[in-house]
Structures are given as structure tokens and as C-alpha cells.
Amino acid sequence: MRQVEISFPRGKPSYNNYFGTNSDPSGSEKIKKKKRASDSVDVTHISSNDNDDLFKISRSTPSVPKKKKKSIGLTSEETDLLISGSKADKIKTVVDSLSFETISEGLLSLGRVIRIRDHEILVSLPGRTMGSVPITAISGPYTKALEKLTLAEGREDAVYGVKDLFQIGQIVSVAVTGVKKDVHSVRVTLSMSPSDLQAGYTSGSISESMVLTGAVESVEDHGYIIDIGVQGTHTFLPKENAKAFIQNVNHKPLGIGQLLKCKVLKSKSAGRSGTSKTYLTVTISPKEVNRTKYTMETVNNYQLLLPGMESEGTVMETHKTGIKVDFLGMVSLIHLDHMAEPWTLPGTLEVGATNFPRVLYLFPNSSNPYLTLQSRICQKKASLPQLLLTLGDKLKVKIARIEKRGLIVKFENGERGFVSSTRCSDNSAFTDEDIAREFPIASSHTCCVMEYSSLDNIYIGSFQQSVLSQQIIRIDQLEVGQVVSCDLKAWKSTGAIVGVGLAKGFIPKIHFGELALKNPAVKFPVGHKFKARVCRIDLNKNQILLTAKKRLVKSKAPLLSSYPECVYGIESEGVISKVTESGLNIFTIGGLSAFIPATKATKESRTRLTKLFFPGQVVNFHVVSANAEKNRIILSMLFEESSRQHTSSSNEVITGGKENKQKLKNGKQSAGGHVIEIINKSVKVIPEDVVVVKPTTNRRKISSEDKSKVSLENKETKSKSRKLTTDKTKSKDNPEPPRKRRKKHNSEQDTHKDVPKRSEIPCLEVPSESFYDTSYLIKGGNESDSDVSSVEEYETEEIPKTVKAVKKDKASKEWAHESEIRKIESKVADPLHTPTTLDDFERLVINSPNSSLAWTAFIAFVLQGADIVNARALAARALQTILFREEGERLNIWKVMLNMETGFGTEESVKHTFNEALKANDPLAIYKAMCEIRQRAKNYKELEYLLRVMNKKFPQEREVWFLGLTHYYKTGQFDKGRELFKTCLANLPKTEHITMISKTAVLEMKYGDVGRGRTLLDTTLLTYPKRLDLWLLYAAQLIKKGNYDDARDVFQNAARVPFVPKRMLVVLKKFLQFEMEHGTLENRSKVKEMALQYVNNVDASAEFLTHLDD
């Protein structure tokens, strides 16, 4: 415990401190004896207190003359001190927390990983402080491995990246190796190297049951060589002692340089004196490490203490700022922030009470360790505490306590907060008296949540009005594409630093002005405010990249911020960042880097690109290709080529030939040998070989008068053709009507002379508002033939015939009509006939009124014309027609309606249909159907919302949880999937656990971490070894992954389980089949030997081996 005098760093001293005890600052001075003859004082008159032994003069001695002595001169302050009491009464006992002022090199502390970058790790420390660990300060073996990788020296052992070695929220031990203090900041450099953490250890000071930090130095045949940073030691970790850690915690083999908590199992010294070496055998089993508690026999001095050590402590004293504890025979301190519970006061603990604290941090050259009673600090699983407040929010708080460094506040939900003295006001002259006056205990104020100290479990806030008035506090409140207000802070050589609320961003020089500016600082001086657009956000590096180009700020073009968004043909805008002879480097609005080849930048191949383009120029482009694996996006600026390709693919020229009798694209259907094309709600009936040029734009409906006009026009055409043919015949031949029929070829030759070509005959365009208006056109597939009969009769009309010929023609026509009717009837009777017209579909639903398949086909046919109104009406008609007992068929129609609204309707219509479907059907079935629709549409935001709702509504349904797990694993959100898996097991009954574990293991092995999936199955099979389905599932997954050796081990383990003969036969059959496909002849013989051995041991029948050969 440090004895600290009351200090007043700001303003006037206050004799009434924040805790209500009086003190006099004059007591901080040492009493100095000064010889001053003029100010001689008889000390017998200074103190009238008889109990004051120091200055008391015995009054019982006789009064004898005394020699004059030089009196002791005291100042007035010293006199007041003597009168008021001893100096010790004026010194206050304080338990200080760690701070940037007290942190120093050599400090050892626990910390929590809060951010992992490529080259450093950010660690939260006690006392609301933090530091960074460079990649070269993780461990000595890791640094050497990185150096070898840099020199391109291959290694057989695994060397993981920083993000694979550590996890966010992981508790680590660190040593402070450097503290750099500037005017406005303090940078603390840390080290995790065992040589820095265990610098006070020697080979003789290590004893069994100690837990030390070690780093994997090399991988051997039977274990690992561990570096603990202590000279004269050789540490070995057997593979058996690492299995539990690898399976339950690491989920992958140990990597070179990886840090481990190692518990010493054996310690043996060998060699001569002076050159002896200590050989240590350790384990990293989580159970062994976590239950280690130290005694004075193991650790008996301050130099052997390490962060995280746990032992029994006894309360010696309690104070307002903390408690004093007897810990391993040393006087130790626990600050108020590290009590067992956030709002526990030290006074609630009784002197003599025992507890089990851990070492939190250790000052160098000290003898008083600082401890913590918070059990969550050394939790088994690495994870950050769940934030109950959103960073950046402005919330109401109450002042709970006033401390030397600031204020402790309490949020409405009970969370703790800290506001430092410098954040209480924007006024730099704000004194401690002002703080006590403006922020009295229990007063309410609005506080902005700035940060979160994960190790102390406390939020950092601010009362400054300059902070409360800002909308943007942190960069995670921003989104890519968002337009924000900026103020320019400073200019650098490559661009400008701008303020976005309280966050800071960067704008490159080429992103100022529409044209390239040589000196943008002239037009945009420091302090200038303007609008900018967020292009890229990097949370790991805490960086924001923006653009100030007005065209991009106002642009409505799609954002291209990720590779999935770069779909072929999508158009957007960007800035040219570099111009080369081979092409243009482009920076998109969403922050992606792309490339436009020279051939796709301009058609002028002879002109250099440098003459046509310049850096900073805003250009339009469309995506040609995007490859996420190669990190490459190819764009093009030639829009004519892309639009021509798009036009040719979407607006194809259609003819009426026989090849078009099949279903055509873009809503085209065939009817009676002619093509019906539906474009923009316009229906066309096209004769064979007549080319469709463009759709009509007329929107009026065809009335009965229009129909009659069409038929009259056809009749007039027929009569004109007859008259024309007759006149020509008369002019060439005998004017008298012929008795005999002329030769056919002469008639056809004369007839076709004046007949217009097919291309000159206009196609019949029938505009309509709805699809159903065209029913008279395609009825039975024959009405279209009658509508263009004028063309056919025009070509086949002949000269007048005799009465006999007329009768013969009439009979042939009747026969043709009857044969056509028979064809139609055979079509209707044929079950394999595919409906192609509205009448066909009407007959289909009349014959099968309760068939959802028939109604679905009908609705799909109508939707090919994009007629959503009639499709909705048809779906409603289907629900009215299908019997209420046919729940499955009605459910299918509701699914069709949901699909239809998702594809053609609005979000409001989707929600309305969804709510109606929930009322009419089983809610679970509708939720599952909607999830499938959202997944097919890749609308993951709405899908995840649905999954959360389903988890709350149907917590006992296994399928609901599996839907969510499948989604998260397929989309690569493994952390969310694993958290959902834990929640799932907590909600489902135990009878469902094995099924969920096996399904999750399959997902892990297919999409996530294979090692984690294997661990799940291994653990389950240890508990339920006779689950044959799990053994077969395990082996099948390994075979799919190509891990044949591991699959063979699984089959061998399954064969050792004492199954009944029927089940063992299945195992051995599968095993033999596996060896036939992937094994050798020797392996197959081993399987048969296992079968024979099983038959002998169990007395199975001889048929067992016969069935095995089958």
C-alpha cells in the first residue's frame, strides 16, 4: 500500500476532500530545525497536552538555574502542525489504480486482446489503459520463423499468422517494454515473449506445479520443444499432454512460436555443478492449468510472482478505494474497480475473510502485488464481454462517486462508467472545485459513451458539449456510400486529413475538384467545411477513405464495395487513379480497385491513353468480370458494345416458323403454328415466316366492333383477290366462263402474279390491357388461323368451279374440320400433352381442381406476360377452388403467392401476403417457405431477421435452428453460427442434442473448421459409442474431404465397438467397400481378418462372412 498525501493538481487546495475527511496540506512538510536567536520559543509553552511525550518537561524537578541554550526556531506552519497533532494523522491511505502516469517499463500485467492487426496486437490493460504488442515481440521462436519465411527458407512446421494465433477477447500476460509520452498521447509498447515475462526466474527457482508461459520452438516426433525464456532449462511437451488443448481450445495443430500456458509436471536437473541443466516436462491441459493454486512453498518472494497466479488471500484492512490482502505472505492490494462485483464496496468485506484473488499486475522494484477478485478475467473461453451499451450513444447517467482522476457514473441499466477530469468540460481551466460543484453525487447528466475498457468492465464517457453535439463519434457509425460533412484538419503530401464528427478520415489529392488541381490546398484551406462521400472503411486500421468530388458525392450509381456486387453488366462511376499504356486503374465509389484495359477504354487504338485521360478524372464504366480469388476486377467504358450485346440477347428477331412452336423466351408462346408474343402487355399473332419488327404501344382494349372490323377487312381482301384473279383470266383467255378446270400450274402462275409477298402483309397486332383479353385469339389453338385466313385464301383461291367440284370441295372441308376436332380431342385426352393456351390451362384446372401443380402452371403461364394483377386473381381463385381439407395443396398455392410477390410485387405486398399466409396455414411451414425465398433472392438481411424471429417463436423445433446454422456456415459467418449452436443446445431437449451436434459437425467439416467438426463427433462418440449412424457419417465426411487415412481410423474404431452381428455386418461391409475403392489388397485382407476374429469371439453364424462377401 502506498501512502500518498493529498495533492491538488488543479486550482486551489480543498481541505474537504471528496470522501468527507479533513486534512491539512501543511502536514506534508517535514519539520526542519532552524537556528534563529530572535525567534526563540520555550517549547514548554507550545504544548499544554500532558500526554505529549515528545515535548513534555517534568514539572517535579527542583528549579535550579540552567545554562542558556540555543532555542529551536520553528516556523508558524510547523508550530500549527505540532499543535494539531502528529504528521502520521495527516497522511491518507489510498489504493491507486494503474494509469498512464504510473505505468513504467518492467511492469507485468494481465491484458485482454481487443484488436488484431497484421503487424501488431492491441491489448486492454487495467486502469483504462492499453498498449500494443508488435509482431516481433510475441516470442523468440515466432520471430525466427518469420525471418526464415522472409528469406524464403521453407519450413515443414506450421507457422500461423497473427489472427490464427490469437482471438479477440483472449486473456494474455504482457510485459511493458517501452513508454513514449507526447503532449497529447502516451504509447505503451508491450511484449508477450516468455523471456520478458519470466526474466526474474532461474533454472533453480522453477518447481513442480508452476504455470509458466512458453512458446513452441519445434515439433518433434513425440512432442514439442518449448521455450520458456529461462536459461539452463530444456522444456518438453509430450503430444499426449497437448491433445486436450488442441481438440477443445486450439482446434488445429500447434504452430511455431505459439504461446501456451504450461504447467510443470516434472523437474529434473542433470550435469555437473556450474553446467547443470534442468529438464522440465509440462502439460497444457486446460483442466490442469486452470485449477492450479499456489502456496508459499511454491512461490515465496515477489520476483517469482506472475500475472494470473491464484492463491488464497486474507483481508487485512479495508479502505474506501480498496482493500489490503495477505497474499502468499506478501501485503497485496485490490483496487475498488476489481472487486468481485462491479458495485461492491470494500467496506462490505470483513477483516479476516478469505478469498481467492489472482495477480493482476506487478510494479518493478516493488513488494506489493495488485490483485483482482473478478473471476471472469481468467475465463476459459476467449471472448469479449457482451456490450450492453452502444458506443456512440448519448445516455442519462447518475454520479456515483468522485475520484482523484475523474467521476464514476452509473447508467440506467446498472452499467458502470468513468468520465475523466479532462472530459468533464470543454473549459481547460475547469478545476476540481468546479467538478465537485457541477457534478454532485446522485445528480443526473447526459453522457456520451466513447469507449469500453474490457479488462476493467467499465465504459469510458464524456460530458463535453463539443462531443455531445456531434452525430458521429466513432467510425463504426459510418457506412460506405454515406454522404457526410467534413472539416479539413491538415494537409499531407498525398492528401488531406479531415474530421468527420469526432472521427478522422483521409481524402487523396486526386479526389479534390472535378479537374486535377496542382495545389488543392489553395481552394480547400485548413478549416474549410464541405460535403464528402465515404468510399472505404477499415475498422482494423481505424481508417476512413473519402472523396470530395461533387459528381461522386451526388452520384446515384450503384456502390461497388465488394466482389459479389460486381455483377456482369452493372454500371457505376469511379475515379482514374493511374493512367498507363496498358490501361486505366480505377477507384470505385465503394473503394474497390479495378482495371480498364486499353482495348476497352477507347476505340481510338492509335491515340495514347495519356492524351485522352488523366488521374482524378471521373468516368462511367460497366463491369466485365470480377475474380475475388485473384483480387481482380475488369471494367469497360465501351457502352455501345455492351448495349448491342444486351439488345441482341433480350430482343431477338422472332419468326413464325415451326421451330418456334416450343416455349420461347421473354413471354413468347406458340399457338396453332403461329407465334403469340407478349411484349409490354401487347399481344401479337404472327403468321409463319412473317418477321416481328417491334411491339405496339397502343394500350386500348379490343372490343367486339374491332373484331368485326378485322373480319370485314379479311372478307374485303378475299373478294378483291377473287375479282383481281377473274379479271386477269378473262383478259387472257376466252371471255366465256370455262366449262373445264384449267391446269393447276397455270392457275397458280396467274394467281401469284399480283399477290403481294408475305413480307408485305402486315402482322395483326392486338393491343390489350390484360392477358385475358386475348382469349378469343388463342382459343383451342385455331382462332389465330382464322384471323389470318385472308392470307391463306388469297394464295389458294382459284377460278369458279363446277357444281360437282364445289360439292367435292365442301365434303373435303367438312372432313378436314372433323379431323381437326379429333386432333383437339386427342390432345385433351393425352395426359402428356403440355398446355400452350389459356383454354388448355382452363381445361387442366377444371379436370384437376384440387391440384396445386395445375394451378401453379396456369399462374406461371400468366406471369410470363408480367401480368401480376391477373396472376393474383388466379391465385385467389385457386384458394377458393381447392377444398379446405387439402391443406398441403393450399399451402403450395400460398408458397406460389409469396414467390410471386417477391419477384413482381413490392415489399409491402410481400409482408401483407406473408401475414395472410400465417393466418391461414401452419406458421412454421410459412416461415420456412419465406426463408427459402429470401435465401434464393440472396436477401440475407431479411433472412437473418426471419431466423431470429423463428428462434424465439419455435425454440423447440430442431429444423428452425438448423436453418440458421446452415445459413451462417454457408455465408462464412462461422462465429455467429457457433454462438447459435450454443444457444440451440440450451433450448432444445436433450433428445435432440445428438442430431444437432452431428449436423453441426457436418457443416463445420464442409464449410468451416474441419478440426472443430471432428472434435464434435469425437466427443459425441466417446459418450455414445454405439451410435452406428454417427460412425458412418463421420467416415463419409472424411472420405469426401479426401482424408482416407483418418477415415480408415474411424472404421477401425467403429469395428472395435461391441455391436450386435447385424450392426457389425454394416460396419465391416462399409469398411470393406471403402478399402475396395481407396485401399490396397493388404488393407482388404485386414478387414476380412477383423470379420473372422469377430465371428470367433461372438459365435456369430457362418452366414456372417457370406453376407460380408456379398
Side-chain angles (χ1 to χ4, degrees), residues 652-673:
E652 298 175 350
V653 177
I654 306 159
T655 62
K658 294 181 180 180
E659 63 272 9
N660 290 317
K661 290 185 179 181
Q662 58 183 355
K663 288 186 178 181
L664 302 178
K665 296 179 180 179
N666 300 328
K668 308 178 192 72
Q669 292 288 329
S670 131

Side-chain angles (χ1 to χ4, degrees), residues 954-1021:
F954 314 102
Q956 301 293 316
E957 293 292 336
R958 183 181 66 199
E959 294 180 7
V960 172
W961 296 102
F962 186 68
L963 279 175
L965 289 170
T966 305
H967 165 69
Y968 286 129
Y969 275 93
K970 281 187 175 181
T971 54
Q973 303 179 67
F974 304 124
D975 291 337
K976 289 186 177 179
R978 288 159 189 160
E979 288 297 325
L980 185 65
F981 173 63
K982 298 174 188 175
T983 311
C984 156
L985 294 182
N987 286 275
L988 285 175
K990 290 186 178 180
T991 54
E992 302 286 353
H993 283 193
I994 298 178
T995 305
M996 284 307 303
I997 291 172
S998 62
K999 287 179 177 289
T1000 307
V1002 171
L1003 291 175
E1004 280 284 1
M1005 297 179 72
K1006 190 174 182 180
Y1007 303 104
D1009 188 348
V1010 177
R1012 187 186 288 267
R1014 295 188 62 179
T1015 301
L1016 287 173
L1017 289 173
D1018 285 336
T1019 307
T1020 308
L1021 287 170

Side-chain angles (χ1 to χ4, degrees), residues 684-836:
K684 294 184 180 182
V685 182
I686 311 160
E688 293 183 353
D689 299 329
V690 177
V691 178
V692 177
V693 181
K694 60 181 181 179
T696 181
T697 57
N698 194 356
R699 297 285 180 181
R700 66 185 181 85
K701 293 185 178 180
I702 298 181
S703 61
S704 58
E705 295 179 1
D706 297 328
K707 296 179 185 178
S708 61
K709 287 180 181 179
V710 172
S711 60
L712 287 174
E713 289 174 1
N714 290 338
K715 289 179 181 179
E716 290 176 2
T717 306
K718 293 178 187 178
S719 61
K720 287 180 181 179
S721 63
R722 292 194 189 101
K723 187 176 181 181
L724 179 63
T725 307
T726 306
D727 292 343
K728 287 192 175 185
T729 305
K730 287 182 179 179
S731 62
K732 289 185 179 181
D733 302 315
N734 195 329
E736 295 181 1
R739 296 289 181 183
K740 294 183 179 180
R741 189 174 182 179
R742 295 182 180 274
K743 292 183 179 180
K744 186 176 181 181
H745 68 275
N746 291 335
S747 174
E748 289 180 355
Q749 184 179 1
D750 296 336
T751 302
H752 286 291
K753 284 182 181 180
D754 296 323
V755 174
K757 297 179 181 179
R758 291 178 184 266
S759 59
E760 296 176 4
I761 302 174
C763 63
L764 180 63
E765 293 185 354
V766 188
S768 66
E769 282 298 325
S770 66
F771 190 89
Y772 292 100
D773 296 331
T774 65
S775 58
Y776 71 95
L777 290 175
I778 56 177
K779 186 175 181 181
N782 294 313
E783 292 295 326
S784 58
D785 293 342
S786 63
D787 292 327
V788 292
S789 59
S790 58
V791 179
E792 297 175 358
E793 292 177 5
Y794 202 116
E795 295 176 350
T796 58
E797 189 66 35
E798 296 181 353
I799 59 174
K801 305 168 187 173
T802 60
V803 176
K804 187 176 180 181
V806 170
K807 289 182 178 180
K808 189 176 180 181
D809 291 341
K810 186 176 180 181
S812 62
K813 287 181 179 179
E814 290 177 356
W815 180 85
H817 182 66
E818 290 176 0
S819 63
E820 191 66 28
I821 292 174
R822 284 195 295 271
K823 286 181 182 180
I824 294 173
E825 290 174 348
S826 62
K827 274 185 181 181
V828 175
D830 185 9
L832 301 178
H833 169 61
T834 303
T836 56

Side-chain angles (χ1 to χ4, degrees), residues 442-497:
S443 60
S444 295
H445 304 271
T446 301
C447 177
C448 179
V449 185
M450 304 287 292
E451 296 288 344
Y452 175 71
S453 178
S454 60
L455 197 70
D456 294 328
N457 192 23
I458 193 169
Y459 293 88
I460 312 299
S462 175
F463 288 143
Q464 295 168 292
Q465 288 300 319
S466 59
V467 175
L468 294 172
S469 60
Q470 295 289 345
Q471 295 295 325
I472 298 171
I473 309 298
R474 300 164 51 85
I475 67 170
D476 52 14
Q477 293 178 285
L478 296 171
E479 294 180 356
V480 174
Q482 182 177 349
V483 178
V484 294
S485 297
C486 299
D487 58 311
L488 205 146
K489 299 292 186 183
W491 275 101
K492 300 293 182 181
S493 59
T494 56
I497 297 174

